[in-house]
Amino acid sequence: MVLYSLKGRDLLCLTDYAPWEIEAIIDTAKSMKERFYSGERVIPVLRGRTIALVFEKHSTRTRVSFEVAAYQLGAQSLYLGWEQLQLARGEPIKDTARVLSRYVDAIVARVKEHWKLEELARYADIPVINGLSDLSHPVQALSDMLTILERKGRLKGVKLVFVGDGSDNVLHSLLVAGAKLGMHVVVATPRQLRPREDILRHAIEWARETGGSVEIVEDPFEAVRDADVVYTDVWVSMGQEAVAEEKRRILRPYQVNEKLMDAAGDKAIFMHCLPAVRGEEVTEEVIEGSRSVVWDQAENRLHTQKAILALLVR
Ligand code: CP
Ligand code: NVA
């Protein structure tokens, strides 16, 4: 069983995870969900453990799904807003990491800059899980893979088209997960907002191994043709307020609306990690329409968080 081999691991970026490890998390998430619906609401494999959530940014889904996941695994969660910790008064991350390691069994951290997660992980001797950084959002992408599997019955060969900000953190994780699982990932984005080069290269190299593909194009209508999934995220991510107007201007042609969904064809579902800004990256009609699976996506965060905690926490 793979269960043993992920124990103690950090989850900072999916670039650190092999395809079979990503598949193991998705399989476990699927089984967590099945067990939940067959009446096993509590699976106390982490009884007596404590999971700390260190959050430097707002969150609804990530915070609540991890806290409920911990509870349903028999563990306790501890929400620690960055501003309330001595961190905000200048206590070094490396000291915080070693102190928390003496009290809790894992840290889920949401940070403004990705290096803070790496610093936490370097000094903590418990698993550190990325609950979103400016670089990536691995726990979102893993959970989205479960949603795609449920809707499409497979992952390999699925055409996932991301429309919008090519430098988006959620997209970075979707690119890596998709490439490692043999999906065809197409990104429709303006020239100025391409994915980060190292992430893109990693995804392209893996897609070659798995029979998947990665393509970056400018025209959203060309990109979505025959899509299985049309995915978008906000144009202005948390922390990007200073460049908000410029991003809104260049991303205007990339709105996911009925016209774009029509161009995608009948089999396309609509996905969004949420929170969404209706009237910007997506219209009210599309997000509330019959092809939208955003509430399933949100629900699957819970089952996937349970899988991640159960597999990683010692
Ligand atoms: N999708 C997601 O991570 O949502 P929150 O910011 O609410 O956690
Ligand atoms: N790209 C968004 C995702 C929120 C879940 C942000 O970073 O704000």
Side-chain angles (χ1 to χ4, degrees):
M1 274 298 272
V2 293
L3 276 171
Y4 177 70
S5 65
L6 291 178
K7 289 283 178 215
R9 284 273 295 274
D10 296 318
L11 174 49
L12 302 190
C13 246
L14 294 174
T15 47
D16 303 326
Y17 275 62
W20 69 267
E21 293 171 330
I22 294 176
E23 281 162 10
I25 295 171
I26 300 164
D27 282 353
T28 307
K30 189 166 168 277
S31 117
M32 287 288 179
K33 186 169 183 176
E34 284 161 5
R35 290 173 70 177
F36 181 85
Y37 278 104
S38 67
E40 260 188 292
R41 294 180 69 95
V42 177
I43 303 170
V45 292
L46 297 183
R47 194 183 288 129
R49 309 290 200 288
T50 303
I51 314 298
L53 278 73
V54 176
F55 276 41
E56 201 185 6
K57 291 179 179 182
H58 293 102
S59 172
T60 297
R61 282 142 289 267
T62 307
R63 174 183 178 174
V64 177
S65 61
F66 267 110
E67 293 211 61
V68 175
Y71 173 76
Q72 292 183 356
L73 294 171
Q76 171 189 343
S77 69
L78 205 55
Y79 181 81
L80 304 168
W82 194 277
E83 284 304 314
Q84 272 73 54
L85 293 171
Q86 295 287 9
L87 269 171
R89 294 182 56 250
E91 183 170 20
I93 290 174
K94 61 182 180 184
D95 293 5
T96 308
R98 285 171 290 185
V99 170
L100 288 180
S101 297
R102 299 292 176 103
Y103 297 134
V104 304
D105 301 282
I107 301 171
V108 179
R110 169 167 285 201
V111 295
K112 291 182 180 166
E113 296 97 10
H114 192 78
W115 67 264
K116 292 174 178 165
L117 279 174
E118 290 173 342
E119 180 89 347
L120 264 177
R122 190 168 308 124
Y123 287 93
D125 45 27
I126 50 175
V128 173
I129 298 165
N130 179 357
L132 181 144
S133 72
D134 54 341
L135 176 65
S136 59
H137 198 2
V139 295
Q140 175 72 50
L142 287 167
S143 144
D144 291 338
M145 294 299 138
L146 173 61
T147 308
I148 296 170
L149 183 63
E150 287 173 346
R151 292 292 172 152
K152 300 292 170 187
R154 70 201 159 102
L155 293 169
K156 198 170 170 60
V158 163
K159 179 174 176 180
L160 166 69
V161 183
F162 183 95
V163 179
D165 178 3
S167 65
D168 185 75
N169 45 6
V170 174
L171 168 63
H172 282 153
S173 295
L174 289 170
L175 267 171
V176 176
K180 287 186 172 173
L181 297 170
M183 294 168 71
H184 301 295
V185 187
V186 182
V187 182
T189 191
R191 261 192 319 278
Q192 305 93 308
L193 294 173
R194 286 172 62 88
R196 222 173 76 162
E197 214 42 58
D198 55 341
I199 299 282
L200 188 57
R201 221 175 315 115
H202 183 92
I204 290 171
E205 278 162 20
W206 270 102
R208 243 179 245 133
E209 296 277 318
T210 61
S213 62
V214 172
E215 213 184 326
I216 313 290
V217 301
E218 276 188 58
D219 181 353
F221 285 89
E222 176 200 325
V224 297
R225 209 174 305 131
D226 289 323
D228 293 295
V229 178
V230 175
Y231 199 118
T232 193
D233 187 9
V234 288
W235 290 345
V236 183
S237 283
M238 290 179 277
Q240 298 184 334
E241 292 72 21
V243 289
E245 278 321 305
E246 175 64 1
K247 289 193 81 180
R248 285 194 187 102
R249 189 183 62 75
I250 57 178
L251 283 163
R252 201 162 301 132
Y254 294 86
Q255 183 184 70
V256 179
N257 49 37
E258 289 290 354
K259 199 166 151 220
L260 193 68
M261 289 305 289
D262 285 348
D266 293 338
K267 67 175 196 275
I269 55 170
F270 171 73
M271 294 180 72
H272 193 309
C273 57
L274 305 176
V277 183
R278 290 162 167 83
E280 288 197 5
E281 77 276 4
V282 63
T283 58
E284 174 82 8
E285 294 71 42
V286 169
I287 199 168
E288 298 291 351
S290 59
R291 302 209 259 173
S292 169
V293 301
V294 299
W295 316 119
D296 287 350
Q297 275 182 271
E299 175 187 339
N300 284 338
R301 295 293 305 276
L302 170 63
H303 309 295
T304 308
Q305 287 3 337
K306 279 162 75 173
I308 291 166
L309 293 176
L311 289 169
L312 269 53
V313 178
R314 283 197 195 92

